[in-house]
Amino acid sequence: MSDSDRGAGTLLVLELDALVGGPGPDASIDDRALRAEIEHDARVAWSRAGAARLGDELRVALEHGGRRLEIRTRLDARRDTRRGARVEVLRVVAGEHAGTDRDEHEVERAALAATLLSLHGERVAGAAVVDLAPDGAELRRVDVAWTPTVWEARLRERLDALLEALEQHSRQARARRELAASLAFPFDEVRPGQDALLRDAEGAARGGLVLLCSAPTGTGKTAAALLPLLRAALAEGRQLFFATAKTSQQQLALDTLRRVLPPGSPALAVQVSARHRVCPMEQHRCGDGRCPLQARFRERLRASGLHAELAGLGVVDAEQIAPRALEARLCPFEVALELARGAAVIVGDFNYVFDPRVRLAELIDVDDEERRPLLIVDEAHNLAERAREYGSPRLDLASLETCAADLASLPALAYRETATLLRDVAAALRDRATILASERSEPGPWVETPERAFWARIAERAALALPAYTIQAGSERERPAALRAVPSGRDPRPRDPARSLLYAVRDFARAATADPERFAAIWSPEEARVLCLDPAPLLEPAWSAFHAAVCMSATLVPFDLHARTLGLESPRTERLDLASPFPRANRLLLASDAVDTTWKRRSDDAAAVAGLIARCVALRPGNYLAFFGSFRYRDEVVAKLPGGAARVLLQLPGMPAGPILRRLEQNRDETLLVCGVLGGLLAEGVDYPGHLAQGVFVVGPGLPAVTLERELIRTWHEQQSGEGFAQAYLLPGLSRVVQAGGRAIRGPDDRAFTALLCRRFAEPAYRDPLPAWWRDELVDARDPVPALRAFWERAAPS
């Protein structure tokens, strides 16, 4: 809805869908685009077999409640008869569900569309709801009881309700503008550096820019970015998205928002968590639309009063939503999405902004420039790799063959056709691996350009198979055991295995026929993968959907290299490089070249690394952190620590941080040494303020392991810009180093050191890409003990 003249408000333009009771949620975010494709293709096929016209635009002017209105819609179908026009609403269903389980909104939409056509001055013969098969065959037609006077009265009732809602929206917008003017910085004082970020973030929001901000851990960048963008969102009627990869950072954003959006506030902030984390169902039935928590969802949500209850909290996270939603027998994930539609701030994972499959397109893709949303991306150094994953589909040969066998034994035609497709893809992968094994002297995996014509045909077949499979799955009261949604491999999200493979086949085929300069196909006897070499083209469209953005991390320098990878090489991009906001006397940055952690030398120097760490921690009891490039090397060094040097706490893969943090909190007189890995939870997602850590050892530059994929990325960037090693290895590694090194000092009173242990930290190639304030403060000390002793002697008595 919109006013054609916002100043005078002379004509209010409404969409018919705003007057009709909304349907329940679609099966899942993943499937919503697919459902749209299914419906479009079915309608086109159906129209070719009859005399109906599709998509006629209708605009009806009328007066109501002292307002001049224009109501717009597109008719699903219109059929002209001798008695007048018949309006038909089309829905696509499986055969056994034709004419059953019809939502009230479909009948209402058909009748109200017919009413509008009559008010437009045309002769109307009636209305109907038509059920179609995915191939466009008409399954059933149900006439709607349409009496013009009755339905015009219903239309007027709906307009009364909508105008009241619009007035409430106007009151809310005024209240939000007043709130924006009153928002104050949520902490007692502004730290050094925060003032610059506050100023530049405000400028970005005002000027429609993207601000790349490199801010050390502990700067308080979350509050400094949130406040100006929240003000702009509230004042201008926009939504603000806060996207970050780690749940801990999402909680930090929510905690900050609680300081400025109290309960009862006119603005709501909501966390959208992953569906699998909040779903209680043993058998996940999102994909087939048969989940009891989603049945008649919006109708039951309205009746429950839950929406108003949660919206009144001011800031609501997934842990608050889930128990209340389940008590009302509603899907927690869909409740969060409903809240998000009216929220001022949406906090969630990168996926909901950047992943083409699951992004919240309904909220993000706003046509009105004056309503386009704002965006904050935190921990942005992780975004390029995540985007690369979005664009790098993989096919597992064993999964294809197993699923094809399961499907082939089922009677439904859609399942047998899917089985044939999966078998053909599996056979092609097996044949390609066999040929490459015979042609190449080295063992797999092998890099080879895909056969574009073959994969183009597969993409077409997958696009046809997906609708048929989706409709068949939705028609079943009980899914076959082999097709029930379950977690698979490293993916914790329960998914229908066959539908997941169909999506994977489609995405693989599309990537295999894309620009061969930006994608590389990798084949092995077990699997095939199309690797995205450059994520920038995948990210560029996402940035353009937002009016303005702040993209921030402790590790976004060198700016040019990161901007290139993130798709932000644009005149619209501004840069801000901040130094540490805390007293320089409270920190010490050391680099020791006494040890070598390169692959060839690291085992030889493991004892020397252990000795350096032991001598440093012996200077002062307390808590220390040591981060290594891998668990294997970590264990090699720990095994050589002198007896009694420290009590070692080992990070185990997948373990939570809580137990270790409690041990550190309780320690008062021991020397505890937490040993983890660079890039892991303890090195990036956890803070250690106060006495939780007084020293951090970073052992080596954290370069990713040399793999075929990394080498392909290196080669591509080398050919494009001569930055191959930097993009593939150095920037990811040094991002981990800076993240780990900033864990200990989180406030102005914290006092700690960071010791970089490896000769490479003395080399310009490794030192120059570090943040400027690191380079300025880094002390070269082959033996760090004397410098550390002097640092502790300068400390105030504890």
Side-chain angles (χ1 to χ4, degrees), residues 466-487:
L466 268 165
Y469 184 97
T470 299
I471 297 299
Q472 175 60 38
S475 73
E476 296 169 342
R477 298 191 180 276
E478 189 66 32
R479 299 300 313 281
L483 301 181
R484 290 175 185 163
V486 294

Side-chain angles (χ1 to χ4, degrees), residues 672-685:
L672 296 182
L673 178 63
V674 176
C675 293
V677 292
L678 291 165
L681 173 65
L682 296 180
E684 291 197 19

Side-chain angles (χ1 to χ4, degrees), residues 6 93 253 310 335 399 508 644 737 749 783:
R6 286 197 173 90
V93 298
L310 290 170
V335 170
S399 298
F508 184 98
V737 167
D749 299 323
D783 181 0

Side-chain angles (χ1 to χ4, degrees), residues 307-345:
H307 191 290
E309 176 191 343
L310 290 170
L313 296 178
V315 178
V316 59
D317 60 31
E319 292 184 0
Q320 293 170 298
I321 294 172
R324 290 172 168 87
L326 295 177
E327 185 178 352
R329 297 295 296 162
L330 294 166
C331 170
F333 182 75
E334 294 293 345
V335 170
L337 289 187
E338 283 297 315
L339 289 168
R341 289 186 173 92
V345 188

